[in-house]
Amino acid sequence: MKKPIVAGNWKMHKTPSETGRFVRELRERLGATTLNPEIIIAPPFVCVPVAVEAAAGSAVAVACQNLHWEDKGAYTGEISGAMIKDVGCTHVIIGHSERRQYFGETDTSVNKKIAAALRHDLVPIFCLGETLGEREQGMTFDVVIRQLHGGLSDIRPTDPKRLVIAYEPVWAIGTGKTATQEQAQEVHAFLRGQLSGMFGSDFAQQVRILYGGSIKPSNAAELFAAEDIDGGLVGGACLQIEDFVGIIEAAR
Ligand code: PGA
């Protein structure tokens, strides 16, 4: 059985002091019953050490929101996989649509970043998804197939637990417009079919494909009930304990 994942992408929210308080409160609120689903939080880089310390010994894992593909070098302002691993992260979000839209990320840079994450034994949470215009032009499948194959080009993952895909339709991110269960399931099943062709059906069956885009406690259970939706990547609603815990409970 695949274990679902609920991951919170904090984006550029919360200071280190707010992070410490938030994680301690989250631990308290979750109690000891946290092995299902897997819970991941992805705070901003400067908050990561505090988050790792506050989450130590709990079931909450810490991710970064980005990394550079080189291990070190003259790349002012960048952070490498080696650094992320050393600070205690286990996962890293790669290819988020905001990185693609505002910071020039392409399938090629995403591909190099996924390779770097795997090289440092970090689990990539590989994001992809179409814009509203692309969906309206009937291009959803063309876009996600390009992103999936581009991002995983020359990558041969062997352990399905160590790769996570997040389908995040851009039109649903931060807009309050959630994809319907049918819309999301259709793309998830398509992605799983592609992964089966790339890495074999056993791998494809076991890899977790998360949905992201305006997940709330009120719509999470319905989305997670779909056959090919293995949890969620949550933005806005992961910033309040009650909402985040509500979504975690929906994944149980
Ligand atoms: P949202 O963001 O839940 O605020 O729509 C999701 C994401 O960007 O990962």
Side-chain angles (χ1 to χ4, degrees):
M1 261 303 272
K2 279 181 301 221
K3 201 192 268 191
I5 295 175
V6 173
N9 174 11
W10 292 15
K11 310 193 179 185
M12 199 170 74
H13 293 287
K14 297 194 193 293
T15 62
S17 347
E18 289 165 345
T19 299
R21 283 196 291 277
F22 182 92
V23 177
R24 283 189 293 274
E25 207 182 315
L26 179 65
R27 282 185 74 153
E28 237 163 71
R29 190 64 183 70
L30 290 170
T33 57
T34 49
L35 291 172
N36 189 27
E38 266 184 55
I39 300 164
I40 303 166
I41 54 170
F45 281 128
V46 291
C47 302
V48 164
V50 180
V52 167
E53 200 188 321
S58 78
V60 178
V62 182
C64 284
Q65 300 172 14
N66 181 30
L67 85 173
H68 193 271
W69 57 81
E70 294 292 347
D71 295 349
K72 58 182 166 184
Y75 301 101
T76 301
E78 293 293 322
I79 305 278
S80 76
M83 296 167 190
I84 290 173
K85 182 72 185 173
D86 188 70
V87 81
C89 282
T90 49
H91 297 70
V92 54
I93 297 173
I94 296 176
H96 190 278
S97 66
E98 287 149 20
R99 302 282 329 159
R100 295 179 192 257
Q101 185 180 351
Y102 304 127
F103 304 101
E105 294 219 1
T106 62
D107 294 333
T108 306
S109 61
V110 166
N111 177 238
K112 291 198 269 187
K113 290 179 178 203
I114 293 173
L118 293 172
R119 192 162 73 235
H120 290 286
D121 198 29
L122 294 158
V123 178
I125 302 174
F126 168 25
C127 304
L128 44 76
E130 80 289 0
T131 63
L132 183 59
E134 289 163 343
R135 176 164 280 265
E136 285 174 350
Q137 288 168 53
M139 286 167 55
T140 298
F141 294 115
D142 299 317
V143 171
V144 297
I145 204 173
R146 189 206 76 221
Q147 291 173 328
L148 185 74
H149 287 264
L152 294 175
S153 170
D154 290 327
I155 289 179
R156 298 271 161 274
T158 47
D159 183 353
K161 290 199 194 69
R162 306 211 49 88
L163 174 70
V164 176
I165 310 287
Y167 169 57
E168 299 206 307
V170 180
W171 49 271
I173 295 178
T175 58
K177 268 191 226 147
T178 319
T180 63
Q181 193 205 50
E182 295 68 34
Q183 284 173 323
Q185 166 58 27
E186 186 185 28
V187 179
H188 282 232
F190 176 78
L191 290 170
R192 206 178 296 286
Q194 290 296 316
L195 288 162
S196 177
M198 295 160 83
F199 307 123
S201 71
D202 282 356
F203 184 96
Q205 284 314 314
Q206 289 178 62
V207 76
R208 269 83 53 93
I209 307 179
L210 313 184
Y211 167 80
S214 298
I215 300 185
K216 301 183 271 275
S218 57
N219 59 28
E222 190 185 349
L223 286 160
F224 298 163
E227 191 183 341
D228 288 297
I229 301 182
D230 308 311
L233 180 54
V234 185
C238 80
L239 298 170
Q240 281 83 39
I241 301 268
E242 278 316 306
D243 287 349
F244 193 48
V245 169
I247 293 167
I248 290 166
E249 278 165 0
R252 287 222 167 107

